[in-house]
Amino acid sequence: MARKLKILFIASEGAPFSKTGGLAEVIRDLPIALARRGHDVRTVLPRHRGPIPFPVRRHPSPLGVPMGLGEQWCAVLEPELPPGVGPVYLLEHDHYFNRSGVYGDPWDYADNLERFTFLCRGAFQLCRALDFIPDLIHCNDWHTGLCPVYLNTVERAGVFGETASIFTIHNLGYQGWFSSEQLPVTGLSSDEFHHRSLEAYGKINLLKGGIYHSTLVTTVSPTYANEIQTPRYGHNLDGVLRDRSPDLFGVLNGIDETLWNPEIDPHIPASYSLADMSGKAICKQQLQRLCNLDDRPDIPLVGIVSRLAHQ
């Protein structure tokens, strides 16, 4: 790409600072891949509880964040990352984010709408404070669904008037449902509570708002992009996604080959490659023994890493 872009990633979690699943892996790896192509890529995350595996610089001034129920303030932490990794900013607000869970413990936190409203509004305020006005904001899952809505409403007439948005759906099954009575938390007008914005079946649906207001919508594979436009896999948003199908793209998730590479992985019993697969048989044998299975090379061994969920 000839043009170098200013790109802001915003997400609810990102490795190695916080992680509950694959979203955090993408938020770590994709910004690095884009930075390698010469783009100015920065990431905004909540400062969740837990150690930060890097030295940290605390920005000298607190950040004021306008909320529907009044202004909130937070600190901005900036880890000192290795060369080639774009800046990551952690919004530190203990009341919202210093908790045992990222989304709940074990059930969803009752104030999740307020928590992620704060993240979205905070991202805009941080950009102003840094004098970094992105060409593109890359939003991820329902927790950031308000960002495209804000771009098209309260932020449209200001410095973000030319900023585009990409909204990536990592898992359509989680949508961010809230009572319509909580709309004032977002600071948005009741004009946004309609079927082509935040309203779904009489409730707020943040994922739906993000889908309708974003410039483009992406998801984790071409197959999934097709599946979620069907009633079977659409989780009651298949009609919305068909409506936006000209702007919906499936981009296959990748892996970081510096981490997931059996030629150099120190955590497996034997290394192997496409050129020499003999070590894979040793790994299979060791796993069979570890799991008290029959030590037999002729029996297939299949594993899956997944949530135990209805999907």
Side-chain angles (χ1 to χ4, degrees), residues 4-301:
K4 306 305 181 183
L5 299 176
K6 293 186 290 184
I7 304 172
L8 180 75
F9 275 77
I10 176 171
S12 56
E13 59 182 270
F17 307 103
S18 53
K19 177 183 173 182
T20 69
L23 169 61
E25 302 278 355
V26 175
I27 299 306
R28 177 191 61 201
D29 296 338
L30 183 54
I32 294 174
L34 291 171
R36 287 172 181 163
R37 297 190 174 197
H39 302 294
D40 184 351
V41 187
R42 312 187 186 193
T43 303
V44 178
L45 302 168
R47 164 57 169 125
H48 294 293
R49 183 183 298 178
I52 299 175
F54 300 98
V56 175
R57 180 176 74 89
R58 181 180 291 267
H59 286 207
S61 300
L63 188 69
V65 180
M67 302 277 288
L69 305 180
E71 191 172 43
Q72 294 284 339
W73 292 82
C74 69
V76 178
L77 308 183
E78 185 175 349
E80 297 176 11
L81 302 175
V85 181
V88 173
Y89 307 102
L90 305 175
L91 302 187
E92 184 181 65
H93 190 294
D94 283 350
H95 174 69
Y96 289 146
F97 302 125
N98 185 16
R99 303 185 183 186
S100 57
V102 173
Y103 309 112
D105 182 24
W107 312 113
D108 289 348
Y109 293 123
D111 61 345
N112 270 349
L113 179 59
E114 189 173 347
R115 298 171 72 226
F116 293 112
T117 293
F118 178 84
L119 174 63
C120 294
R121 295 305 305 265
F124 288 105
Q125 292 300 95
L126 178 62
C127 287
R128 289 187 176 92
L130 298 171
D131 194 23
F132 174 77
I133 306 303
D135 300 300
L136 174 67
I137 297 181
H138 191 145
C139 312
N140 295 272
D141 273 349
W142 71 261
H143 329 96
T144 59
L146 284 171
C147 283
V149 183
Y150 289 138
L151 271 179
N152 283 347
T153 55
V154 296
E155 301 290 358
R156 178 51 60 196
V159 294
F160 299 97
E162 300 298 321
T163 300
S165 60
I166 285 181
F167 187 63
T168 296
I169 302 168
H170 298 265
N171 190 328
L172 189 68
Y174 302 98
Q175 299 183 3
W177 291 91
F178 300 95
S179 166
S180 61
E181 297 174 355
Q182 296 187 64
L183 186 65
V185 169
T186 68
L188 291 165
S189 163
S190 58
D191 292 343
E192 286 306 313
F193 192 68
H194 61 85
H195 74 284
R196 291 184 64 84
S197 186
L198 289 168
E199 188 274 334
Y201 303 101
K203 294 184 177 182
I204 296 169
N205 185 312
L206 296 188
L207 192 78
K208 184 180 181 183
I211 292 170
Y212 264 129
H213 281 272
S214 58
T215 310
L216 296 176
V217 182
T218 67
T219 190
V220 297
S221 75
T223 299
Y224 195 52
N226 291 326
E227 287 179 346
I228 61 178
Q229 296 181 66
T230 67
R232 181 174 183 181
Y233 297 105
H235 293 276
N236 296 316
L237 289 182
D238 51 290
V240 174
L241 291 159
R242 289 194 299 272
D243 195 18
R244 291 234 55 193
S245 61
D247 305 312
L248 171 61
F249 300 90
V251 181
L252 187 64
N253 265 357
I255 61 171
D256 184 342
E257 293 179 355
T258 65
L259 290 176
W260 307 104
N261 184 347
E263 290 189 75
I264 59 175
D265 192 339
H267 303 293
I268 57 178
S271 59
Y272 60 92
S273 67
L274 285 175
D276 180 5
M277 297 287 283
S278 58
K280 189 173 184 182
I282 298 173
C283 293
K284 176 181 176 180
Q285 179 189 62
Q286 294 296 315
L287 185 55
Q288 285 175 319
R289 292 176 179 177
L290 180 67
C291 296
N292 295 317
L293 300 172
D294 291 338
D295 183 359
R296 289 179 56 185
D298 59 310
I299 296 179
L301 181 62

